[in-house]
Amino acid sequence: MTKSAPELSIDDVRDRLESTIHTAFEQDGSTLVEALPAMGKSYHAIKWAETTGKHLSVFTSRRELYGQYEQWCINRELDFHVLPAFHHLCDTMGEGYSIENDVSEVYDAGISGAEIHRKSKQYFGSKLPCQHDGPCQYMDAREFNPEDYDVLIGHYLQAHNRDYLEDRYVAIDEFPSDAYFFDPTHNEATRAVSNYLKAEDNLPFENWKDLRYRRHKDEYEDTVEEWKDELGFYSHRDTRVQLQQNPGFHAHAPLLTHAGLEFELLGNEWEYAELGSGRKAVRSPEDEWTVLIPPPFYAAESVVALDGTPMINKWRLVLGGDWVNHETVLEDDQEKRTYLSEVLGLRIIQTDAGTKPYESGVHVNTQSDGALLESVPEREGTRPAVITSKTAKEIYRSSGLDDYIERIGHYGDLKGSNDFADTDLAIVIGSPHPPENEAVERWAAFDGESVERATDEDGQDLRGVDLDLGPLGNALFQDVVQYEVLQAVMRFGRTPDKPVHGATVYVHTSRLPEWVNPETYLEVTTWSNGMQEVVETIKSSKKWPNGEWTNKEIAEGISIGKKQVCDLMKELDEEGYVSHCRAGRGNAYHWSNVKLESLAEYGEVV
């Protein structure tokens, strides 16, 4: 007996969400709240602060999202403060000053914006331009008491400041991606280590190469262990001004040195290092370094992570702990399906397209995409909005396919966006496919795990729908690909509390989560090059549109012969685009136009 779909309303969902968020903030440590898009999870975090009177810090991705939080705070009469950002408020940056590049170099070397201002004479020999008429407005903006505000609003990176965490509850709105990554090149990392070792008397190595080859010698074991034991959280940063004049200086040199001492080889040639306090480093087979430096979230009263389609392993890593609580608003896959169809009013129509990895643009199929883009306005009576890859977006523009599109967005520009909330007809075309070394192998390495593609019996990598990266690798891949496709689908018709809401969304890729059940499946067929030649020949002839054509006449001057022309004309005849009679020498076919002008340019959709 088939399980019936549960009854679910937007009020039910939001009541559950409110209860879940209250429970999450009451728990010690970090809690991940899984709540699909359009539930109002960001708003309910602010509502929690107003209801409980607790001090809240919210960290999110883009400044344009701050306005939503500001308005919610105003509506609920909460005192709020937007945290000052160095690049946004400092007039030295972005104003065309000649010193700007020098400031950027010091900042990129791991010195904070505040430290740059405090020691500007030591770094640059004079005050910064923004300090000539008094304190920089950035430094002025830093002079506030966090206790005076119910809500602090800032970017993920600003969570590194303990003043914004202590005695406060923290909400992290959506996954911070690589915000807590430090990505030096191999040369930058090794130069920084070598530079540091020249000044560090407590380690017996002269440079990076010396450390690399002699770190495991028994004679150095006690010295190395003593150096590591003395490292605290802040001693992983080197801020000695005298060293900053040396080429290759970086404030994270002690952390990089620690990583060099700890690296262990994984099965897929990646290296992994555990650095304490949630910090980890990995090194790819191509010598690309990444250091994960989570903020000191342990200083907060509690931390609540808000995400629609979360990957628990990745959240645990960026939160810097060994464990994260996990709370869900919807109980199971059936409730998720009900939420999509009944609460959000989404009609999902999926085509028979394959995976369609569109990140690079190499596999963009303008014929198949064109057939669907032509068909949808005829089926629905209006042009659709489209979300696809950034590369495909440019290809559509250059090929004229954007004539069929009302508006277009791309993967990677959707997080927190409500630009398509009022759109009720859309197509999601193709799937993101970021480099597996970044999206899968690197994240697995942070967990000390090795991930590799499975191969077939001939030793060839499995691809497309057969792609297999093992349990952890598949989960990491799905987190980037399947859930980004789902997030794109759920960008449309996001007004569940309005009388008329919802959207019809065509999905032109197979990369949807398995629990999503499309309402309908479509088959997209594209015309062959021969068919396109035949139709173009007929429509460009002097006898168009009321004449008659034989197979021989059509075949003259094109790349296919009379027999293939005849087969293609019979297809058009069966679909009612042309008609025929047989007459003359050899009882030849004579073709006449019926409605060939209405034949779609790219193909048909059934």
Side-chain angles (χ1 to χ4, degrees):
M1 184 175 178
T2 303
K3 182 180 177 182
S4 60
E7 292 186 4
L8 204 62
S9 70
I10 190 61
D11 292 333
D12 295 332
V13 170
R14 288 175 177 168
D15 286 345
R16 287 195 204 178
L17 175 62
E18 184 170 355
S19 175
T20 302
I21 287 178
H22 274 261
T23 299
F25 276 118
E26 291 170 1
Q27 297 189 73
D28 293 332
S30 301
T31 302
L32 170 60
V33 173
E34 180 177 346
L36 284 171
M39 287 185 179
K41 54 185 177 292
S42 304
Y43 166 78
H44 276 82
I46 298 299
K47 184 178 179 182
W48 172 86
E50 187 268 334
T51 301
T52 62
K54 306 289 188 182
H55 285 169
L56 176 67
S57 294
V58 176
F59 300 104
T60 187
S61 58
R62 300 182 299 190
R63 295 196 66 85
E64 54 262 39
L65 302 179
Y66 296 179
Q68 294 180 1
Y69 279 104
E70 293 175 38
Q71 190 59 55
W72 292 331
C73 289
I74 292 170
N75 294 344
R76 305 200 77 86
E77 298 183 349
L78 293 171
D79 292 325
F80 67 91
H81 188 70
V82 175
L83 298 176
F86 169 49
H87 286 87
H88 184 69
L89 289 178
C90 177
D91 288 338
T92 299
M93 308 305 292
E95 295 293 331
Y97 290 108
S98 58
I99 198 174
E100 183 179 345
N101 288 337
D102 295 334
V103 174
S104 294
E105 284 185 13
V106 175
Y107 184 81
D108 291 341
I111 306 301
S112 70
E115 194 73 358
I116 286 171
H117 284 81
R118 294 189 190 107
K119 298 180 179 178
S120 59
K121 289 186 178 180
Q122 291 172 270
Y123 293 136
F124 312 110
S126 64
K127 290 182 178 181
L128 296 175
C130 59
Q131 298 173 312
H132 288 172
D133 298 322
C136 173
Q137 63 173 332
Y138 165 67
M139 295 300 286
D140 260 353
R142 288 174 53 87
E143 298 299 320
F144 72 96
N145 184 358
E147 294 181 7
D148 294 339
Y149 297 96
D150 302 309
V151 179
L152 301 180
I153 304 167
H155 185 270
Y156 300 130
L157 286 171
Q158 291 172 306
H160 281 291
N161 191 326
R162 286 177 67 104
D163 292 341
Y164 305 152
L165 304 178
E166 291 179 343
D167 301 320
R168 306 187 71 87
Y169 293 80
V170 169
I172 307 173
D173 192 351
E174 300 290 352
F175 186 67
S177 187
D178 59 358
Y180 301 141
F181 283 175
F182 164 49
D183 289 295
T185 66
H186 171 71
N187 287 339
E188 289 170 342
T190 57
R191 280 199 302 265
V193 171
S194 294
N195 184 62
Y196 173 77
L197 289 172
K198 290 177 183 177
E200 178 52 73
D201 296 330
N202 294 325
L203 281 174
F205 309 111
E206 296 182 3
N207 50 44
W208 161 254
K209 187 174 290 188
D210 189 31
L211 178 149
R212 184 69 176 164
Y213 289 108
R214 296 200 296 151
R215 60 185 174 139
H216 292 310
K217 286 184 175 291
D218 292 342
E219 61 191 283
Y220 301 127
E221 182 177 354
D222 291 342
T223 304
V224 168
E225 289 303 317
E226 184 178 346
W227 179 84
K228 290 192 292 188
D229 289 342
E230 291 177 355
L231 286 177
F233 190 88
Y234 289 106
S235 63
H236 272 301
R237 294 176 61 84
D238 189 337
T239 57
R240 288 176 283 185
V241 175
Q242 67 271 23
L243 294 183
Q244 291 166 21
Q245 310 307 316
N246 296 343
F249 168 85
H250 201 286
H252 285 313
L255 194 64
L256 296 171
T257 302
H258 190 188
L261 292 169
E262 298 288 353
F263 275 134
E264 297 178 8
L265 190 63
L266 301 175
N268 59 354
E269 300 301 317
W270 279 75
E271 292 177 88
Y272 160 79
E274 177 71 54
L275 305 176
S277 301
R279 293 164 296 184
K280 302 172 188 290
V282 296
R283 191 164 170 254
S284 77
E286 293 75 35
D287 287 336
E288 296 170 338
W289 293 53
T290 305
V291 184
L292 171 62
I293 310 176
F297 287 123
Y298 52 81
E301 293 297 308
S302 72
V303 177
V304 173
L306 305 168
D307 197 352
T309 52
M311 173 79 180
I312 297 175
N313 279 37
K314 290 167 69 171
W315 268 110
R316 174 176 51 78
L317 288 166
V318 300
L319 293 175
D322 297 323
W323 174 260
V324 59
N325 303 306
H326 183 207
E327 300 284 347
T328 59
V329 176
L330 302 177
E331 295 179 358
D332 54 27
D333 290 349
Q334 183 60 60
E335 280 203 338
K336 291 179 183 179
R337 287 190 283 269
T338 301
Y339 177 71
L340 293 187
S341 60
E342 302 300 325
V343 177
L344 296 186
L346 287 175
R347 293 181 60 239
I348 298 175
I349 300 172
Q350 191 168 21
T351 71
D352 62 342
T355 58
K356 294 177 75 69
Y358 269 21
E359 196 77 16
S360 67
V362 173
H363 303 291
V364 172
N365 187 334
T366 54
Q367 285 293 116
S368 175
D369 299 349
L372 184 61
L373 286 165
E374 279 184 299
S375 169
V376 168
E378 293 182 8
R379 297 166 65 95
E380 305 290 346
T382 186
R383 294 192 306 176
V386 168
I387 290 176
T388 186
S389 73
K390 190 173 184 179
T391 310
K393 179 179 172 181
E394 296 305 315
I395 292 173
Y396 294 165
R397 181 173 289 115
S398 62
S399 64
L401 283 180
D402 56 352
D403 291 342
Y404 300 101
I405 299 170
E406 185 63 29
R407 54 185 306 210
I408 190 166
H410 62 84
Y411 292 116
D413 193 39
L414 300 176
K415 183 177 286 189
S417 170
N418 286 316
D419 290 348
F420 294 97
D422 294 325
T423 301
D424 58 11
L425 178 64
I427 311 177
V428 176
I429 305 179
S431 63
H433 193 123
E436 287 167 30
N437 62 336
E438 294 178 8
V440 178
E441 294 172 0
R442 178 168 62 176
W443 279 104
F446 275 124
D447 236 358
E449 300 289 340
S450 172
V451 164
E452 296 180 87
R453 275 196 189 207
T455 58
D456 60 21
E457 58 187 15
D458 297 322
Q460 299 298 312
D461 287 344
L462 296 176
R463 299 178 180 276
V465 295
D466 297 320
L467 177 67
D468 184 3
L469 298 160
L472 176 59
N474 289 339
L476 288 165
F477 183 80
Q478 291 166 6
D479 177 61
V480 175
V481 179
Q482 293 188 3
Y483 290 128
E484 277 205 44
V485 172
L486 178 62
Q487 289 267 8
V489 170
M490 297 183 70
R491 290 292 152 194
F492 303 103
R494 295 178 64 165
T495 52
D497 47 0
K498 291 185 179 180
V500 178
H501 66 271
T504 297
V505 183
Y506 290 77
V507 181
H508 200 35
T509 171
S510 62
R511 293 294 192 192
L512 273 173
E514 290 182 2
W515 60 263
V516 177
N517 285 348
E519 178 183 298
T520 309
Y521 290 89
L522 299 178
E523 180 181 345
V524 179
T525 303
T526 59
W527 306 136
S528 65
N529 291 335
M531 178 68 84
Q532 291 176 315
E533 286 188 84
V534 164
V535 173
E536 179 60 30
T537 297
I538 294 174
K539 291 169 69 174
S540 62
S541 77
K542 293 180 179 180
K543 293 189 286 185
W544 173 262
N546 299 316
E548 290 185 351
W549 298 266
T550 65
N551 293 328
K552 181 180 179 181
E553 289 174 323
I554 297 170
E556 289 177 355
I558 63 176
S559 64
I560 60 176
K562 288 192 295 180
K563 184 179 185 306
Q564 190 175 350
V565 167
C566 186
D567 291 339
L568 293 172
M569 293 303 296
K570 287 179 180 178
E571 287 184 34
L572 294 173
D573 195 351
E574 290 173 3
E575 296 294 331
Y577 290 104
V578 298
S579 62
H580 75 274
C581 65
R582 305 192 69 169
R585 185 176 179 182
N587 201 26
Y589 280 92
H590 290 254
W591 306 100
S592 301
N593 174 50
V594 175
K595 55 173 185 178
L596 197 57
E597 64 278 359
S598 66
L599 181 72
E601 181 179 353
Y602 296 96
E604 62 179 353
V605 177
V606 180

